[in-house]
Amino acid sequence: MNVRKQKSRGAVAVEFAFVFPILFLMVYGVVVYAYVFVLHESVNYATQEAAIAAVSVLPKTPDYNNAVTRRARAAALATLSWLPADQRERVLGSSGEKVEVVFLSDVDGTDAIQITLRFRLKEPAPLFPVIQLPLVGDVPRLPDQITTQAVARI
């Protein structure tokens, strides 16, 4: 009976050695993709909030374009203030200068404001460590950046 337990213990160790890497990669993938999902939704929400803030500026305001840009950048900064500083820098810059504000004009005279945010996942360094597996490649596979846009009519 004692010999049987020792053989069984060795079999469990071998099974664990095969199963643990797969289990670890699955848990790692769930954590990484969940965080990327939260980032995407947060950046999307910040873009929407920036567009709402941008259209709240009265069109007759002096220096209208700069006022809209400042208001949109301030709204995006406030919305993403929960991010760590290095991640906030990736999407907004140090003071919101990476928030893209474009003024659109349609042929029928309808004016709109387009806000674009880009969260770079791989620059300047990857946000998450990448594990390279033979026959599989990079784990996790992530896009280079998350891009969100919101358009609001004036």
Side-chain angles (χ1 to χ4, degrees):
M1 196 92 163
N2 201 7
V3 171
R4 191 179 252 176
K5 281 186 177 180
Q6 286 178 342
K7 286 182 181 179
S8 157
R9 230 181 305 175
V12 169
V14 169
E15 289 171 2
F16 179 76
F18 283 117
V19 171
F20 178 74
I22 296 168
L23 180 65
F24 175 77
L25 286 174
M26 287 176 56
V27 170
Y28 180 67
V30 166
V31 169
V32 167
Y33 286 120
Y35 190 73
V36 169
F37 177 76
V38 167
L39 283 176
H40 183 271
E41 291 302 308
S42 298
V43 172
N44 190 34
Y45 179 69
T47 306
Q48 293 171 3
E49 288 296 310
I52 290 168
V55 297
S56 70
V57 177
L58 296 174
K60 294 182 181 183
T61 302
D63 201 17
Y64 175 73
N65 289 1
N66 285 334
V68 166
T69 302
R70 280 193 311 274
R71 180 90 47 103
R73 289 177 175 171
L77 280 167
T79 305
L80 294 177
S81 64
W82 65 273
L83 283 175
D86 62 325
Q87 292 179 24
R88 209 172 33 248
E89 173 74 28
R90 287 176 186 239
V91 66
L92 301 172
S94 58
S95 61
E97 68 272 2
K98 290 184 180 178
V99 177
E100 297 174 26
V101 180
V102 177
F103 296 88
L104 305 172
S105 184
D106 204 351
V107 290
D108 63 357
T110 304
D111 291 327
I113 299 169
Q114 176 181 303
I115 309 293
T116 305
L117 291 176
R118 290 181 172 83
F119 191 105
R120 288 166 178 76
L121 294 172
K122 296 185 178 180
E123 293 174 16
L127 190 58
F128 297 100
V130 175
I131 301 168
Q132 292 187 345
L133 297 175
L135 303 175
V136 176
D138 293 346
V139 175
R141 287 192 185 123
L142 296 174
D144 291 336
Q145 68 182 5
I146 296 169
T147 304
T148 61
Q149 285 186 336
V151 176
R153 289 188 175 189
I154 302 172

